[in-house]
Amino acid sequence: MPLLKPTQLEEAAELLRGGQVVAMPTETVYGLAALAMNLPAVAKVFKLKGRPRFDPLIVHAASMRQAFELAADVPPLAYRLAESFWPGPLTLVLEKVAAIDDLVTAGLTTVALRVPDHTLAQELIAAAGGVLAAPSANRFGGISPTRPQHVLQELGNSVPVLDGGPCRRGVESTVVAVCGEQHPVVLRLGAITVEQLSDVLGRPLEVRNSSDQPQTPGVPGAPGMLSRHYAPRTPLVLVERFEQPATGQRVGALSLDQSPVGYTVIERLATAGDLVEAAANLFAAMRRLDEADLTRIEAILVPEQGLGRAINDRLRRAAYDS
Ligand code: TXA
Ligand code: MG
């Protein structure tokens, strides 16, 4: 049962309606979904992930209308962003309505909303009969799953996974808070680039993303934005350039396009420096390296522009403290 084919979507919806959790594909990463209004089911999500209760979940809707019903106030700039990027990998943090429980939002007065750009996700939300709370379907602190098999590796065979194949985008949604009259703030870099956002808003916007800034180790800037996150078990170190490792050492190399000599496993994220391709490959490459029984992984950051900022953010977090 763990893997459900797209034709078994109704079965997945039935499980959700019965208060179970189901892993669902989205364009970014796989999510571990429960009906957001079913609190025992949401509690199962936290438990299965080993996720602390102070880290709020994103609520996934099938349409902008369904999403904004959950916001107490939708500022004009939130509309503008939603119209430009939904369905898609943008999460908007807005003042919540009372119907959204504190468990989902970790006691905050705001709720994170997103309309995924994935047919199966949209159909699942519609068939389940309500919005779905879903964090990435990895164990807390681990690498987000971009393939159905990754979910099984993370959570075991007990969680049914709706098989949507590999995720197209490969990095999580960009989280943007839009509160009242304030200008929007980026809380997590992601698949929608900062450049795309400021093009729509007509001015630069603040990025308050903890791996960008000095902070107290382990204290989240936005809830859930712990520095060490997306981390393989194998130590990952950022390097300026690859230098041939000592003989006998098992070292992995992760970069956009380099093939250095003497490394046991080499992961190149893209063929022609394409950052879209690199993002789609990033987490699967990190997993392969982690499974190769290496003493360490060396990684070189990609260009710090466009999607490269989100890729580098994940690499910095993976390297943090290792
Ligand atoms: O692409 C994605 O966003 C994926 C797919 C499954 O949709 N989901 C995902 O969820 O990455 P998760 O739980 O791994 O990350 C959600 C992020 C966390 O950093 C959390 O702290 C932040 O969103 N978040 C959620 N609600 C928030 C709120 N009310 N205020 C500020 N940040 C919030
Ligand atoms: Mg996550």
Side-chain angles (χ1 to χ4, degrees), residues 29 49 51 55 135-145 172 188 224 229-230:
V29 302
K49 260 194 80 111
R51 179 169 177 133
D55 193 355
S136 51
N138 50 280
R139 291 205 44 88
F140 182 68
I143 303 169
S144 297
E172 297 85 347
R188 177 178 72 182
H229 216 123
Y230 311 102

Short mmCIF file of all heavy atoms in Angstrom, two decimals, residues 29 49 51 55 135-145 172 188 224 229-230, ligand 2:
data_model
loop_
_atom_site.label_atom_id
_atom_site.label_comp_id
_atom_site.label_asym_id
_atom_site.label_seq_id
_atom_site.Cartn_x
_atom_site.Cartn_y
_atom_site.Cartn_z
N VAL A 29 8.35 19.97 -3.13
CA VAL A 29 8.79 18.76 -2.45
C VAL A 29 7.52 18.01 -2.03
O VAL A 29 6.43 18.55 -2.10
CB VAL A 29 9.65 19.08 -1.20
CG1 VAL A 29 10.87 19.92 -1.58
CG2 VAL A 29 8.84 19.80 -0.11
N LYS A 49 6.74 13.31 11.97
CA LYS A 49 7.93 14.07 11.55
C LYS A 49 8.92 14.28 12.67
O LYS A 49 10.06 14.65 12.44
CB LYS A 49 7.48 15.48 11.10
CG LYS A 49 7.36 15.68 9.63
CD LYS A 49 7.27 17.17 9.30
CE LYS A 49 8.61 17.86 9.31
NZ LYS A 49 9.12 18.30 8.04
N ARG A 51 8.43 16.68 14.70
CA ARG A 51 8.54 18.13 14.57
C ARG A 51 8.07 18.83 15.84
O ARG A 51 7.02 18.50 16.36
CB ARG A 51 7.68 18.59 13.40
CG ARG A 51 7.68 20.09 13.17
CD ARG A 51 7.01 20.33 11.84
NE ARG A 51 6.85 21.70 11.49
CZ ARG A 51 7.17 22.17 10.28
NH1 ARG A 51 7.70 21.38 9.38
NH2 ARG A 51 6.95 23.42 9.98
N ASP A 55 6.76 24.94 15.58
CA ASP A 55 7.03 25.18 14.16
C ASP A 55 5.74 25.02 13.34
O ASP A 55 5.27 23.92 13.13
CB ASP A 55 8.10 24.18 13.71
CG ASP A 55 8.69 24.54 12.36
OD1 ASP A 55 8.22 25.51 11.73
OD2 ASP A 55 9.62 23.85 11.93
N PRO A 135 3.60 19.88 6.15
CA PRO A 135 5.02 20.23 6.10
C PRO A 135 5.71 19.32 5.09
O PRO A 135 5.10 18.38 4.58
CB PRO A 135 5.50 19.92 7.52
CG PRO A 135 4.66 18.74 7.92
CD PRO A 135 3.32 18.91 7.21
N SER A 136 6.97 19.60 4.80
CA SER A 136 7.71 18.68 3.94
C SER A 136 7.76 17.31 4.62
O SER A 136 7.84 17.21 5.85
CB SER A 136 9.12 19.22 3.69
OG SER A 136 9.75 19.55 4.91
N ALA A 137 7.71 16.23 3.81
CA ALA A 137 7.52 14.88 4.34
C ALA A 137 8.83 14.20 4.74
O ALA A 137 9.05 13.03 4.44
CB ALA A 137 6.75 14.03 3.33
N ASN A 138 9.68 14.95 5.42
CA ASN A 138 10.94 14.38 5.94
C ASN A 138 10.88 14.41 7.45
O ASN A 138 10.07 15.12 8.03
CB ASN A 138 12.12 15.24 5.47
CG ASN A 138 11.89 16.72 5.76
OD1 ASN A 138 11.18 17.38 5.01
ND2 ASN A 138 12.46 17.22 6.84
N ARG A 139 11.77 13.65 8.08
CA ARG A 139 11.88 13.80 9.53
C ARG A 139 12.47 15.16 9.83
O ARG A 139 13.20 15.73 9.02
CB ARG A 139 12.73 12.66 10.12
CG ARG A 139 11.98 11.34 10.00
CD ARG A 139 12.41 10.29 11.02
NE ARG A 139 12.57 10.80 12.38
CZ ARG A 139 11.59 10.87 13.29
NH1 ARG A 139 10.37 10.49 13.00
NH2 ARG A 139 11.86 11.32 14.50
N PHE A 140 12.14 15.71 10.99
CA PHE A 140 12.53 17.07 11.34
C PHE A 140 14.05 17.27 11.19
O PHE A 140 14.83 16.46 11.69
CB PHE A 140 12.10 17.37 12.78
CG PHE A 140 12.42 18.77 13.20
CD1 PHE A 140 11.77 19.85 12.63
CD2 PHE A 140 13.40 19.02 14.14
CE1 PHE A 140 12.05 21.15 13.00
CE2 PHE A 140 13.71 20.33 14.53
CZ PHE A 140 13.03 21.38 13.95
N GLY A 141 14.43 18.33 10.49
CA GLY A 141 15.85 18.63 10.32
C GLY A 141 16.49 17.93 9.13
O GLY A 141 17.60 18.27 8.73
N GLY A 142 15.80 16.94 8.57
CA GLY A 142 16.38 16.16 7.47
C GLY A 142 16.18 16.82 6.11
O GLY A 142 15.70 17.94 6.01
N ILE A 143 16.59 16.09 5.07
CA ILE A 143 16.51 16.61 3.70
C ILE A 143 15.09 16.41 3.16
O ILE A 143 14.52 15.34 3.29
CB ILE A 143 17.53 15.86 2.81
CG1 ILE A 143 18.95 16.00 3.38
CG2 ILE A 143 17.47 16.35 1.38
CD1 ILE A 143 19.97 15.08 2.73
N SER A 144 14.54 17.45 2.57
CA SER A 144 13.18 17.34 2.04
C SER A 144 13.11 16.33 0.90
O SER A 144 14.02 16.26 0.07
CB SER A 144 12.71 18.70 1.52
OG SER A 144 12.64 19.64 2.56
N PRO A 145 12.02 15.54 0.85
CA PRO A 145 11.89 14.50 -0.18
C PRO A 145 11.40 15.07 -1.51
O PRO A 145 10.39 15.76 -1.56
CB PRO A 145 10.84 13.56 0.40
CG PRO A 145 10.20 14.27 1.53
CD PRO A 145 10.90 15.55 1.79
N GLU A 172 11.78 24.15 -1.70
CA GLU A 172 10.50 24.51 -1.12
C GLU A 172 10.04 25.88 -1.59
O GLU A 172 10.80 26.67 -2.14
CB GLU A 172 10.60 24.51 0.41
CG GLU A 172 10.91 23.17 1.03
CD GLU A 172 12.39 22.87 1.07
OE1 GLU A 172 13.17 23.59 0.40
OE2 GLU A 172 12.77 21.91 1.75
N ARG A 188 11.53 32.90 4.12
CA ARG A 188 12.33 31.76 3.67
C ARG A 188 12.55 31.89 2.17
O ARG A 188 11.59 32.02 1.41
CB ARG A 188 11.62 30.43 3.97
CG ARG A 188 12.41 29.22 3.45
CD ARG A 188 11.76 27.88 3.76
NE ARG A 188 10.56 27.66 2.96
CZ ARG A 188 9.78 26.58 3.07
NH1 ARG A 188 10.07 25.64 3.95
NH2 ARG A 188 8.70 26.47 2.31
N GLY A 224 10.75 27.88 12.88
CA GLY A 224 11.08 26.77 12.00
C GLY A 224 12.31 27.01 11.15
O GLY A 224 12.79 26.11 10.48
N HIS A 229 19.44 22.44 9.15
CA HIS A 229 18.20 22.00 8.57
C HIS A 229 18.61 21.45 7.21
O HIS A 229 19.67 21.77 6.72
CB HIS A 229 17.30 23.22 8.37
CG HIS A 229 15.86 22.92 8.61
ND1 HIS A 229 15.12 23.58 9.52
CD2 HIS A 229 15.01 22.01 8.06
CE1 HIS A 229 13.87 23.13 9.51
NE2 HIS A 229 13.78 22.18 8.64
N TYR A 230 17.78 20.67 6.61
CA TYR A 230 18.11 20.13 5.28
C TYR A 230 19.46 19.42 5.33
O TYR A 230 20.24 19.52 4.40
CB TYR A 230 18.18 21.25 4.24
CG TYR A 230 16.98 22.17 4.25
CD1 TYR A 230 17.05 23.42 4.84
CD2 TYR A 230 15.78 21.77 3.69
CE1 TYR A 230 15.94 24.26 4.86
CE2 TYR A 230 14.68 22.60 3.70
CZ TYR A 230 14.76 23.84 4.29
OH TYR A 230 13.69 24.67 4.31
MG MG B 2 10.58 21.31 5.89
#
